[in-house]
Amino acid sequence: MIKILHTADIHLDSPLRSLALRDPALRERVQTATRTALTRIVDAALTERAQAVLISGDLFDGAERSARTAAFLTQELDRLRACDVRVFYIKGNHDAENPITGHLTLPDNVHVFDGRGAKVQLAEGVWIHGVSFASRHAPDSLLPRFPAPVAAAVNIAMLHTSLAGAAGHDPYAPCTVAELAGMGFDYWALGHVHRRQIHAENPWIVMPGMPQGRDIGEAGPKSATLITVGEAITVKEVPVSAVEFLDIAVDVAGAASDDILRDRVRGAVNAAAQALLSDTGVVRLTLQGATPRRWQILRDRDVWAETADRIAQETGRLWLEKLRTDLSDPTEAGQGATDELARLMDEIRRESGFDASCRDMLDALLGELPPARRAALLPDEDAADALVQKLAGRGAARIVARMKGAGG
C-alpha cells in the first residue's frame, strides 16, 4: 500500500484580503495562513506516512522575491526529506513568473518537472508523470507532451489546467475530462481551479482545490487529497486550512426588538463557530428579512457592526469582516416627508451633473491613497462609475434611515 498526498495552488505568501486585518489579534494568523497550510500539508504527509507529496502548480503566488519565503519552504521540504518523503512539483502560471523557482536550490528529495514532460518511478509499479508551464501563459493543451503510461503499472499524471473553462480562472492548458480519461492514466493530479472537485473516479480526475482560501470568494474549509494505492486507488480529503472565510445569513424576519436581533445573531454565529473546521473564521454577516427595526438597523449600522464583531469574538474563533443588510419593513405604508425625500434623492442621482460632481470628490479622495491601493480599488473606469453609484445609494439610504428611525 502506497500513500501520496496531492495538493495545488498553495500561493505561498499570497496576501489574504480581509478587513479583519485591522484587528492586531487576527493579523498574524491571517498573514501567515498560507504558510500554516503548507506546514499542515507536511504534517499530514508525515502522519499518514505518505511516500510522496504532489504539488500540481502555483506553489508561489507572484513575482516577488523573498529570502524568508525561500528559507521557510526549504525548511518544510527538509522535514519531508528527513523522513524519505519525495516531492513531485510542476510549475503553474504563477510559478513560471516567480524568480524563486528559478534560483532556489531545492532539497534533493524534490523533483521539478520541466515543460517538456517526463515520468519518474516512485516505487515498484508506480510512476509519476508531469508537465510544467514553460512560461506565464499556456494557451494550448499540454496533453501531447505527456509520455505514454507505463504498462502494467499505476500511472499518476500531474497537470495544471483550467480544463474546459472555469469561472474566475484564465483558460490555461485547456482540455476536457473526456480527453484526460482517454489518456490511459489511473489518477490525474490537477491544479489551477481553487474549488475542490472530483471530476471522475475511473480514472480518478481530481482538482484538490487550494489548501487556504484568501477572501470571501474562496469561502469554506480547504484541504489536500490523500491518495492510497492498493488493489484499487482510494481518495480521502484532509483538512489543512488555518483560516476559514464564512458567509453567514441571519434571518431577522419579524424581530421586533434589539434583544431578539442580538439573540438571532448570537445563535447563528455560535452555530458557525461550532461547525468551523479551521482554527479561525473570518465572517461576512448578512442580516436579512422583513423586520420593523429595519430603519433603526440602517441608522445605527456602525453600532450593529460593532455588536456583531463582539459576538463573533466571544466565540474565541471568529472575527467579523463585514456586516451587510438585506432588509425590508413589513409595517411601512408610506411616511410622507421621508418618502418624498427618498424620491427627490433618486431624481438627483439620475441627473447628468451629479455623477461628474461625485467623481470630482472621489478623485480628490483617491489622491490621498497609495497608487497600489488605488489600482486595487478601481482597476478601470467602469469600476469608478460603479463605486460612485454604490456610495451615493448608500448615502441616500442612510439619510432616510436616520429620519425614519429617529423615533426608534
Side-chain angles (χ1 to χ4, degrees), residues 298-302 393-403:
L298 294 179
R299 180 196 65 192
D300 302 329
R301 184 188 185 92
D302 294 345
R394 284 185 177 178
R398 192 69 179 268
I399 291 172
V400 174
R402 285 182 177 276
M403 296 186 68

Side-chain angles (χ1 to χ4, degrees), residues 189-213:
L190 303 182
H192 185 59
V193 179
H194 293 175
R195 183 174 64 87
R196 174 180 168 80
Q197 188 170 357
I198 296 177
H199 292 278
E201 297 185 11
N202 186 25
W204 287 96
I205 301 176
V206 178
M207 190 74 72
M210 65 191 324
Q212 174 58 62

